[in-house]
Amino acid sequence: MADKEGIKVAKDYHVEEPFANQGDFHVKGANSLDWGMKKHLSRIFDPKTGRTVMFAFDHGYFMGSTSGLERLDLVIPKLAPHVDVLMATRGALRTCVPASLPNGIALRVTSGSSMLNDDLSHEVVAVEIEDAIRMNADCMAVQTFIGADGQLSSIDNLSRVINAGFRYSIPTLGVVAVGKEMERTDRFFKLATRILAEMGCQIVKTYYCDNFEEVVAACPVPLVIAGGKKLPEKEALTLAYRVIQGGAAGVDMGRNIFQSVHPVEMAQAVRKIVHEGATDAEAYAWYEEMTADRS
Ligand code: 5RP
């Protein structure tokens, strides 16, 4: 390992230059992967736009029942037509999501913490690769805790999932956790996203921050951005617009969709930004028009 002393701060991200190994495949960093991986990635990232609207409702894996997700069986079928990918636990998928839905599937495969713990950074791989194959998962989501107490075990979890994923051509989605002790700076997100990509993740989920374009440029796989805590709809759409402008390949939004007063219209408004080139102002104006008589 290189000596940590005297390391120069990285600064030349060439944010204006497109990724140089794209080939003819629409997903960043995936040009050299095999057909099976590319097939799964094409169910996540729309080949027409190269982007994705992922809908995260895996919160129950550590929060239990959450506001807006009390009845997955009622909520998910309404939202599914407006998003590309459903990100969930196997329990939620098997019990509440019709297998007939055409969406891509991001299967959460780690767990081990709950809201009752102070330190949420210790997880295990809870789903075997055979179950991801049985469920035809398009990627496996692994929580990682860079800089936290559970860093080593989460990197161990991630490596196991990536190795199994390569055996069966299922991509791994590395999720950058943020917590009490972790910074939310571009310095932290550049470090964490790059570590996950170099570990072999095909997709990384992270958060928006200052200098986001540099975080994108330094990460050789697509970034999808979490919505985070519930914001007013206008602000959440501005967040979606900024991440797309900054070069993210999409969003993986949860609470800002399912806790919206109008979740279906909110998902559609996010979609307009991600896939249709709408600005945040245009998407919000559309949202207001669609929901005016129900506010
Ligand atoms: C936790 C996750 C969750 O899926 C994600 O945070 C949920 O999305 P949101 O923050 O938008 O509610 O990956 O790390």
Side-chain angles (χ1 to χ4, degrees):
M1 179 171 291
D3 185 348
K4 283 200 293 183
E5 296 302 312
I7 288 181
K8 287 191 179 173
V9 176
K11 58 180 189 305
D12 289 333
Y13 292 97
H14 303 280
V15 292
E16 304 307 329
E17 290 199 36
F19 185 66
N21 190 32
Q22 196 69 47
D24 61 0
F25 193 59
H26 63 287
V27 180
K28 187 178 184 182
N31 191 42
S32 306
L33 297 177
D34 82 312
W35 193 92
M37 282 268 185
K38 285 179 166 166
K39 186 71 181 159
H40 284 303
L41 289 168
S42 296
R43 275 167 48 87
I44 296 171
F45 298 99
D46 186 329
K48 290 198 282 296
T49 64
R51 296 193 185 134
T52 187
V53 177
M54 300 177 75
F55 174 51
F57 57 99
D58 57 338
H59 303 59
Y61 99 94
F62 78 107
M63 286 185 178
S65 172
T66 315
S67 171
L69 293 183
E70 294 88 344
R71 287 290 304 269
L72 293 172
D73 57 319
L74 303 179
V75 170
I76 306 310
K78 284 189 201 142
L79 285 166
H82 310 294
V83 300
D84 299 300
V85 177
L86 302 174
M87 178 177 180
T89 61
R90 63 178 167 183
L93 288 165
R94 280 207 169 94
T95 56
C96 299
V97 177
S100 52
L101 293 181
N103 306 74
I105 295 296
L107 179 65
R108 173 163 289 280
V109 298
T110 54
S111 69
S113 45
S114 85
M115 290 295 279
L116 303 177
N117 304 128
D118 278 340
D119 179 4
L120 298 174
S121 75
H122 298 275
E123 296 200 344
V124 295
V125 178
V127 177
E128 290 180 353
I129 187 71
E130 287 79 4
D131 213 24
I133 296 167
R134 273 192 289 272
M135 297 188 75
N136 197 21
D138 293 299
C139 67
M140 298 175 288
V142 176
Q143 202 75 10
T144 59
F145 300 90
I146 303 300
D149 207 35
Q151 174 176 295
L152 178 60
S153 60
S154 73
I155 291 213
D156 186 45
N157 294 340
L158 184 67
S159 311
R160 289 167 194 277
V161 172
I162 291 170
N163 287 331
F166 273 121
R167 276 204 296 283
Y168 298 102
S169 289
I170 304 180
T172 300
L173 167 64
V175 181
V176 175
V178 286
K180 276 194 296 227
E181 312 304 330
M182 284 107 103
E183 312 170 27
R184 293 185 182 227
T185 61
D186 61 323
R187 191 181 80 122
F188 172 71
F189 290 123
K190 278 175 195 154
L191 172 85
T193 56
R194 180 63 172 262
I195 288 176
L196 268 51
E198 298 223 10
M199 296 285 303
C201 288
Q202 288 79 18
I203 314 165
V204 173
K205 173 171 175 172
T206 186
Y207 290 82
Y208 185 67
C209 60
D210 289 343
N211 292 325
F212 182 68
E213 293 80 0
E214 291 186 356
V215 181
V216 171
C219 184
V221 301
L223 295 182
V224 292
I225 305 307
K229 68 174 190 212
K230 174 74 175 76
L231 301 167
E233 279 72 7
K234 190 167 192 283
E235 286 175 36
L237 292 171
T238 296
L239 173 68
Y241 181 64
R242 288 197 179 138
V243 308
I244 293 301
Q245 291 300 108
V251 295
D252 186 7
M253 235 178 214
R255 287 163 287 178
N256 278 294
I257 292 178
F258 66 72
Q259 290 180 348
S260 169
V261 192
H262 304 291
V264 167
E265 288 79 4
M266 188 59 185
Q268 289 174 292
V270 170
R271 187 169 191 88
K272 285 184 179 298
I273 292 171
V274 172
H275 286 304
E276 296 171 27
T279 63
D280 48 344
E282 288 165 346
Y284 185 63
W286 181 88
Y287 172 85
E288 285 215 298
E289 193 187 329
M290 289 300 127
T291 59
D293 55 347
R294 288 178 285 142
S295 307

